[in-house]
Amino acid sequence: MNFQYKLAQVSIAACLLAGAMSATHAADEIVIGASIPLSGPLAGFGMYQKWGYETAVKDQNKAGGILVDGKKIPVRLVIRDDKTDPNVTASNSESLLSRDNAVALLGSCTPALVNAGALVAERRKVPIVAGCDPLGAFRSVRKWNYAWVMFFDEGDLATAPFRMMNDYGIVTNKKVAILADNGPDGIVVGGKIWPETAKANGYSVEQSTSFPTDAQQFTSMVAQAKSTGADVVLVDAIPPQAIAMRKQMASAGFSPKVLVMEKGAEPEFFAQATGKLADGVLVGGYWDPSFPYPGAADLAKRFESETKQTQSQHIADSHAAAQVLMDAIAAAGTLDREKINAAIAKTNKTYVIGPVKFDATNTSAIPITLMQWQSGKAVVVWPKDRANGKLLFPLPEAK
Amino acid sequence: MLYAEYEPTSDPEVAEMIRRNVSKIVVPTLLMALAIASQGFSDYALEIGFRLMVMITLAEAWNLLAGYGGLVSLGTASFVGIGAYALTGLVNNAHLPLYLAIPGAGLAAAMLALLVSRAVFRLRGLYFTVGTLALAEALRMFMVNYDGFGGASGLFLSQDPPGLYALFCIAIGLMAVTTLVITIATASRFSILLRAVRDDEDAAAQIGVKAFRIKLVAFVLASFLMGMAGALQGLKVGTVEPYGMFGIQWTVSVLSIVIIGGQGLRLGPVAGAFFVIALGEVLADYPALHLAITGVILIVVIRFAPKGLVGLARDIAARNKGEAK
């Protein structure tokens, strides 16, 4: 018998052995799994999610854990890096369920990653709660039974700049230029809702350009936008692209009166990377520590003191997602996944993110706000009743 | 030099090699036994087993190209992606059952190989490598920008993916096909011709070897297997999108597996896949460390064990045998 044949036998024997071994389930802890982007293009979001999930679990454990079958059991959160790759999200989700015996899952961020994990959860009949997936993109996939998302709706987000301009009576030349990536939400927001809303509000769409989500060169489309003379520029791009575009706009000497940069202008590193150029840039938001929700101000303070970084709204949706799940486990009083899922469906409570109540599509909408970067800080400027700062208009010219 | 192992090519030795390799037909039988035994496997074992078999298939296919044929391709992701998209299309639109859709996806990848072969085979050595990388990137960009296949959002499988056990059994089927194809390809006259082309294409042509045809067969066979592996991955995830399915990570993973296991060796991809996946699982909770350690291992293997782990083990075994005599 030759060496290679022996090695083949050993390999198959190893596989059989691995199969025979089944992971033991520790009854003295409740395992919750989360696959989030800690590396890759979306690592900026994953870092906030990690903190939000971990903090919620830490707080729950400080209170002794979750009451299950009459006994308080601590929660163990297992986090895996999905490397911003849906294939990895899917395999991580499988491993979290099979290797770590997670009773339920917490979601990743953006439609591609959340959906990949949710499809695994759906197939395995395991509840998953996520907070970083626009609702339209989530609903469009299928009828969900075990996946739950609380986030903003793309329609609400996309119409916000026009509602803000109407509310504040902002005077522009009513010309709009739209530059949106061809990702799931870019197509919906930039390709559909923005042009429709612009026309419905009496604006003329002078340019509507779509680009790949990993594009780096925007000079020609920026030059085209400048040549249209549009006062309102609406951009939908992820952070690296939004940063590059903002800089290329400044280089081209293009300064519209209103500049909205959805997605990309949201994390703090947008402001750090663009410096003064961030001033006046608007971005849709859904949370601020000043909002009157339980624990909102405290959560932001804790994040900033622990990490020495400026807070992001993603700490709130991830914290709330973990709380919703843990509350459902407590309400079910058991680790039976069906019962936990049924308890999630009955959620009706105000969390740090605001009121959460799921509808028939397994979604709970968070009302949108508009934030504006002002001297390195994101200030809520719309709607008026939630604003904690004054709108900077027009966009300051780049020097 | 990426390929490492030269196996004997004289006729009596070839006959011996074929005789020895016939025994490897036993492997599919063992895989069948694995399928039966796997009914008692935990979900975790099924998940790891599935991942292992998909990666072994990809690595075996790449090894046929690079290890035996000297065609160091960086286009693995193209064929994985095409396979995944083709499966989704065949299931969603043509409503084909999986036992037809999966080979159909393999055929789609083989068709792509056939289509681009004239262009990429005009290139040799490093130029071929860069050409295949360009092909993968061009395809990815096309899929991102072309709305007909769902653009950047991708497509969703219209039916729920099968359960883990069913997926595991399908993966065993894929492994059986792969083992059969690679065994035939590496233990026949074709293998001699392929290695002759690898060693010196011009010299091989001088003695009557139709180099283009030989390379084409290897390329199409490898692409067929890669397409089926991609189809299985698409089936498991239930959704396909260009960034994940056409991502460079497929190419890098497969290359690491074969180099660590042993390029040009029959069991190199198997050993490499076991090693890389086991390492990934052990370091699953330390993602940064995982990448760094894999990189260091790759460097160490290339430097100190150019024939990979299998080559190293075989050398040690031969040395011990010599000492014992």
Side-chain angles (χ1 to χ4, degrees):
Chain A
M1 199 176 287
N2 64 45
F3 169 74
Q4 291 188 358
Y5 192 67
K6 268 186 198 166
L7 196 56
Q9 281 186 322
V10 170
S11 302
I12 289 173
C15 199
L16 283 164
L17 188 68
M21 292 191 316
S22 69
T24 52
H25 179 72
D28 55 353
E29 60 183 11
I30 298 166
V31 180
I32 293 175
S35 176
I36 54 176
L38 296 174
S39 58
L42 297 178
F45 293 123
M47 185 264 289
Y48 297 123
Q49 282 192 300
K50 184 171 186 277
W51 188 89
Y53 288 159
E54 283 177 343
T55 303
V57 169
K58 211 187 294 171
D59 291 349
Q60 189 75 45
N61 285 337
K62 266 188 199 159
I66 301 175
L67 193 65
V68 171
D69 296 327
K71 188 181 149 198
K72 281 234 172 182
I73 304 178
V75 179
R76 182 163 68 92
L77 177 68
V78 183
I79 290 180
R80 292 275 150 76
D81 176 18
D82 61 28
K83 301 169 187 165
T84 316
D85 179 351
N87 291 298
V88 182
T89 312
S91 62
N92 277 353
S93 302
E94 291 280 9
S95 295
L96 286 165
L97 297 175
S98 56
R99 171 177 156 161
D100 302 294
N101 286 309
V103 69
L105 299 172
L106 292 167
S108 189
C109 195
T110 71
L113 299 178
V114 172
N115 293 340
L119 285 167
V120 171
E122 199 70 17
R123 188 169 70 231
R124 300 284 300 269
K125 296 186 168 37
V126 176
I128 180 170
V129 183
C132 185
D133 184 6
L135 302 184
F138 175 72
R139 289 189 199 111
S140 68
V141 178
R142 55 170 289 159
K143 166 86 182 84
W144 298 99
N145 296 306
Y146 295 88
W148 308 85
V149 170
M150 41 201 209
F151 211 50
F152 62 79
D153 187 274
E154 290 94 328
D156 196 18
L157 173 89
T159 55
F162 297 97
R163 287 184 281 149
M164 181 203 74
M165 288 190 282
N166 289 342
D167 281 359
Y168 285 126
I170 286 173
V171 178
T172 65
N173 62 6
K174 297 246 168 186
K175 288 181 179 177
V176 177
I178 297 170
L179 310 171
D181 69 34
N182 60 4
D185 39 1
I187 289 171
V188 175
V189 172
K192 203 171 160 222
I193 308 176
W194 273 344
E196 285 170 3
T197 315
K199 281 170 197 157
N201 283 274
Y203 289 76
S204 66
V205 179
E206 301 293 321
Q207 180 192 359
S208 183
T209 304
S210 176
F211 54 86
T213 50
D214 54 359
Q216 284 296 330
Q217 193 50 254
F218 306 102
T219 44
S220 62
M221 59 184 89
V222 165
Q224 193 189 340
K226 187 182 178 186
S227 69
T228 64
D231 271 354
V232 180
V233 174
L234 306 173
V235 176
D236 191 302
I238 59 173
Q241 281 62 37
I243 292 165
M245 195 180 289
R246 181 66 190 102
K247 288 182 175 176
Q248 287 171 31
M249 284 173 79
S251 302
F254 179 38
S255 189
K257 286 186 175 172
V258 175
L259 174 59
V260 179
M261 301 191 106
E262 286 307 345
K263 291 191 298 214
E266 194 263 318
E268 190 196 12
F269 75 84
F270 171 82
Q272 289 167 345
T274 52
K276 282 268 174 209
L277 293 177
D279 279 357
V281 175
L282 290 156
V283 59
Y286 50 87
W287 186 78
D288 187 82
S290 64
F291 290 175
Y293 300 133
D298 181 52
L299 192 73
K301 268 187 214 152
R302 282 174 69 186
F303 178 84
E304 291 181 355
S305 73
E306 284 177 27
T307 65
K308 311 293 174 216
Q309 294 183 44
T310 304
Q311 58 81 22
S312 151
Q313 48 197 355
H314 289 288
I315 62 171
D317 64 73
S318 51
H319 188 275
Q323 279 195 322
V324 165
L325 178 57
M326 290 189 291
D327 281 355
I329 296 171
T334 165
L335 297 185
D336 183 296
R337 286 163 172 162
E338 290 295 336
K339 287 181 180 161
I340 295 170
N341 199 51
I344 296 172
K346 288 180 190 156
T347 301
N348 187 4
K349 187 178 164 185
T350 301
Y351 289 89
V352 69
I353 198 78
V356 175
K357 187 177 182 187
F358 294 104
D359 62 15
T361 61
N362 287 21
T363 58
S364 176
I366 304 171
I368 208 78
T369 64
L370 275 179
M371 300 194 174
Q372 188 177 49
W373 286 104
Q374 295 179 7
S375 306
K377 294 231 174 285
V379 176
V380 180
V381 292
W382 182 87
K384 285 177 182 174
D385 59 349
R386 289 186 173 203
N388 58 13
K390 209 174 161 219
L391 177 74
L392 191 61
F393 176 84
L395 183 80
E397 283 202 28
K399 286 174 186 164
Chain B
M1 186 84 64
L2 275 169
Y3 44 86
E5 180 68 356
Y6 290 77
E7 293 193 14
T9 54
S10 60
D11 276 349
E13 289 188 21
V14 168
E16 168 61 16
M17 188 172 69
I18 291 170
R19 192 192 63 74
R20 274 193 285 129
N21 279 305
V22 167
S23 67
K24 285 177 192 157
I25 300 295
V26 175
V27 173
T29 316
L30 288 173
L31 288 171
M32 194 101 81
L34 186 66
I36 295 163
S38 64
Q39 280 176 323
F41 281 13
S42 67
D43 283 351
Y44 179 55
L46 293 174
E47 161 67 16
I48 297 298
F50 176 88
R51 220 185 297 164
L52 197 60
M53 285 187 275
V54 167
M55 292 317 288
I56 288 175
T57 298
L58 291 172
E60 289 266 37
W62 193 81
N63 193 35
L64 178 70
L65 278 179
Y68 290 89
L71 299 164
V72 182
S73 160
L74 292 182
T76 305
S78 321
F79 305 104
V80 172
I82 288 291
Y85 269 80
L87 175 103
T88 309
L90 290 170
V91 170
N92 286 3
N93 304 321
H95 307 292
L96 284 187
L98 291 178
Y99 64 84
L100 290 178
I102 294 170
L107 283 176
M111 289 294 290
L112 173 72
L114 205 60
L115 205 69
V116 300
S117 58
R118 280 218 167 267
V120 293
F121 288 157
R122 281 181 183 276
L123 310 168
R124 284 198 199 175
L126 270 178
Y127 295 98
F128 171 83
T129 304
V130 174
T132 50
L133 179 65
L135 168 73
E137 269 306 285
L139 259 176
R140 190 177 68 88
M141 290 310 291
F142 173 75
M143 297 304 279
V144 166
N145 288 293
Y146 179 60
D147 289 340
F149 299 123
S153 310
L155 303 166
F156 291 92
L157 204 62
S158 59
Q159 65 183 52
D160 279 344
L164 262 183
Y165 177 67
L167 283 168
F168 183 80
C169 289
I170 298 171
I172 286 180
L174 177 65
M175 265 287 287
V177 171
T178 304
T179 306
L180 196 69
V181 169
I182 300 292
T183 300
I184 292 170
T186 56
S188 61
R189 186 169 168 269
F190 171 75
S191 160
I192 312 292
L193 299 175
L194 186 60
R195 276 179 280 167
V197 171
R198 174 192 72 184
D199 294 345
D200 192 330
E201 190 171 333
D202 295 326
Q206 287 287 322
I207 56 167
V209 177
K210 292 187 166 52
F212 180 86
R213 199 178 294 173
I214 294 297
K215 288 197 292 185
L216 182 64
V217 172
F219 195 40
V220 168
L221 276 179
S223 305
F224 175 72
L225 294 174
M226 287 175 180
M228 288 207 294
L232 240 67
Q233 180 64 21
L235 178 66
K236 185 190 171 218
V237 179
T239 168
V240 291
E241 49 74 50
Y243 294 102
M245 286 301 174
F246 287 90
I248 188 85
Q249 71 277 6
W250 290 108
T251 306
V252 174
S253 301
V254 167
L255 192 136
S256 310
I257 285 172
V258 178
I259 289 177
I260 289 174
Q263 200 185 180
L265 297 177
R266 186 67 184 83
L267 279 174
V270 180
F274 266 95
F275 184 82
V276 167
I277 288 180
L279 187 73
E281 282 307 294
V282 170
L283 299 174
D285 294 323
Y286 314 97
L289 205 60
H290 173 212
L291 287 177
I293 289 179
T294 307
V296 169
I297 289 171
L298 207 57
I299 294 166
V300 170
V301 167
I302 290 170
R303 173 67 184 84
F304 297 105
K307 292 177 193 171
L309 298 180
V310 172
L312 184 69
R314 205 167 65 167
D315 288 351
I316 292 170
R319 207 178 305 146
N320 289 343
K321 206 173 166 184
E323 280 172 11
K325 278 178 184 174

